[in-house]
Amino acid sequence: MNKSTMLRKITGATTLTLAAAIGATSVANAATWRYAHEEYDGDVQDVYAEFFKEYVEENSDHQIQIFEFGQLGESDDIMEQTQNGILQFVNQSPGFTGSLIPEAQIFFIPYLMPTDMETVVEFFRESDAINEMFPELYAEKDLELLKMYPEGEMVITLDEKASSPEDLKNKKIRVMTNPLLSATYEAFGATPTPLPWGEVYGALQTNMIDGQENPIFWIESGGLYEVSPNLLFTGHGWFTTAIMANQDFYNGLSEEDQKLVREAADYAFDKIIDHIDGLADESLEKITEASDEVTVTKLNEEQIQAFRDRAPEVEERFIEMTGERGEELLNQFKKDLEDVQSD
């Protein structure tokens, strides 16, 4: 039984009961801090959470209780629980946070990010947009942004092989509930179809959708290649995620505990960067070994350019959605990338 099948066995009643149970304890006096993420056991966010937990528990008397995807509902559910103080920490990608913080959709402007890991990692370490501007935006939504980090290059899976925007015409591609991501796939010629993650495997299996995008490790761990076997590497972006704390909880911590939380987030960042190095290649190898039906299409520069030529219209949509503040963020984002690439 793959993980997607297992996930579908979790009932809404179980989710609500668990959320209510963990909310019964007073956060102010809790020795155990609760942390939810949106991935499976052993996936990147789960590994990050384990490193965060390791640091906290080795350097304090506090405990971290980790909830994997599905245990407390979908991504929107765990964000709401964090804002309400039921959870102290949440790890969620800007794909979902974008509905709360429109500027977070910047990560879905295609071909904005470089494709080599070394540059990507340095950008996340050094960027003023990431480390100075984004925390202010998250704070407006009562969230303390602790760390943003990359997970891996985005890969499209489809019901048949493709190598051009024309090949994506009328293809129903699952996207997160994110207007700019929908705009990206509209620009690519496809028909974006928002769908909760828990429904993706079944929707691919029943041909309700024709494809989806995710980092390759998630395509492998979720078994998506079983029902969507044609992999397309377009080089259009990296999957990004972020760990946040409930701001009231964080502000109520002692200076010592605030320092502990920050150090734990930094420690987990360094560890996860080591973890994802080579992870995509390992996952792709597992996929190709597991199925003879899988095809892998890696576009050449000329083919990529056909997709890249469609990116400016998505950038324009981002500015329309976010206004002057979004444009300021985008300009800083580009400057930070230029600084990293010129070093």
Side-chain angles (χ1 to χ4, degrees):
M1 181 185 295
N2 62 49
K3 292 178 180 177
S4 295
T5 302
M6 293 171 64
L7 176 59
R8 290 194 291 274
K9 292 184 179 292
I10 297 175
T11 66
T14 301
T15 297
L16 291 173
T17 300
L18 184 54
I22 66 172
T25 304
S26 169
V27 171
N29 299 317
T32 298
W33 295 340
R34 296 177 289 274
Y35 180 136
H37 62 76
E38 54 187 2
E39 292 180 1
Y40 298 126
D41 178 35
D43 284 344
V44 172
Q45 288 185 22
D46 187 56
V47 174
Y48 182 98
E50 290 290 348
F51 284 131
F52 184 89
K53 171 184 172 75
E54 174 186 294
Y55 190 91
V56 168
E57 294 184 354
E58 287 184 358
N59 291 279
S60 74
D61 293 329
H62 299 300
Q63 301 292 311
I64 300 288
Q65 185 178 13
I66 298 171
F67 296 91
E68 300 166 9
F69 177 77
Q71 291 182 307
L72 298 177
E74 291 272 354
S75 293
D76 290 345
D77 298 316
I78 60 175
M79 175 57 76
E80 183 178 349
Q81 290 161 25
T82 304
Q83 289 183 294
N84 291 335
I86 296 172
L87 295 168
Q88 284 73 62
F89 301 100
V90 65
N91 198 319
Q92 186 178 80
S93 74
F96 291 106
T97 312
S99 60
L100 185 68
I101 304 168
E103 293 86 355
Q105 297 178 96
I106 195 170
F107 295 100
F108 294 95
I109 298 175
Y111 300 101
L112 181 62
M113 293 287 291
T115 55
D116 66 290
M117 181 172 164
E118 184 177 347
T119 303
V120 169
V121 172
E122 187 176 355
F123 170 73
F124 275 86
R125 290 189 188 278
E126 303 295 333
S127 167
D128 288 342
I130 295 287
N131 298 302
E132 294 181 15
M133 298 178 76
F134 266 116
E136 295 178 1
L137 296 172
Y138 278 68
E140 292 175 3
K141 301 300 180 181
D142 301 318
L143 296 166
E144 186 72 23
L145 179 62
L146 300 175
K147 209 73 180 175
M148 283 185 159
Y149 62 93
E151 294 195 46
E153 180 183 346
M154 298 302 289
V155 180
I156 302 170
T157 70
L158 294 160
D159 58 340
E160 58 186 4
K161 293 180 69 173
S163 60
S164 69
E166 289 70 28
D167 292 337
L168 296 185
K169 187 175 182 179
N170 298 324
K171 291 287 186 186
K172 297 188 292 294
I173 306 296
R174 179 265 175 177
V175 295
M176 292 175 276
T177 309
N178 182 300
L180 199 73
L181 185 56
S182 292
T184 292
Y185 276 94
E186 287 172 357
F188 285 173
T191 302
T193 306
L195 202 63
W197 168 243
E199 299 176 19
V200 174
Y201 188 97
L204 290 167
Q205 192 172 35
T206 58
N207 300 315
M208 191 178 96
I209 55 175
D210 303 308
Q212 62 84 49
E213 69 158 26
N214 261 303
I216 193 69
F217 76 85
W218 216 356
I219 294 168
E220 186 271 321
S221 69
L224 299 181
Y225 65 90
E226 299 166 351
V227 289
S228 188
N230 300 287
L231 277 56
L232 176 61
F233 288 73
T234 59
H236 69 276
W238 273 68
F239 191 83
T240 297
T241 193
I243 174 177
M244 297 150 267
N246 173 284
Q247 196 167 61
D248 286 342
F249 158 75
Y250 181 82
N251 288 340
L253 294 175
S254 65
E255 288 187 14
E256 181 181 3
D257 277 347
Q258 287 185 358
K259 182 172 181 287
L260 171 74
V261 166
R262 290 285 177 187
E263 289 176 346
D266 291 342
Y267 172 81
F269 179 92
D270 291 338
K271 289 290 187 179
I272 208 64
I273 294 306
D274 289 338
H275 176 76
I276 66 173
D277 189 13
L279 180 62
D281 291 338
E282 293 172 14
S283 299
L284 182 58
E285 184 177 351
K286 288 179 183 178
I287 288 172
T288 54
E289 287 178 353
S291 174
D292 293 333
E293 296 182 10
V294 169
T295 69
V296 179
T297 302
K298 295 189 176 184
L299 302 185
N300 59 36
E301 282 303 314
E302 182 179 352
Q303 292 170 319
I304 287 175
Q305 191 60 46
F307 285 92
R308 185 182 283 116
D309 287 342
R310 298 176 179 230
E313 63 184 89
V314 184
E315 187 172 305
E316 290 175 7
R317 286 285 298 278
F318 173 77
I319 294 172
E320 289 173 5
M321 291 176 184
T322 59
E324 189 174 313
R325 191 162 69 166
E327 186 170 14
E328 181 183 355
L329 178 69
L330 178 60
N331 289 337
Q332 186 63 52
F333 208 93
K334 289 180 176 180
K335 180 182 182 300
D336 294 342
L337 284 168
E338 288 175 4
D339 290 345
V340 168
Q341 291 169 321
S342 65
D343 287 346

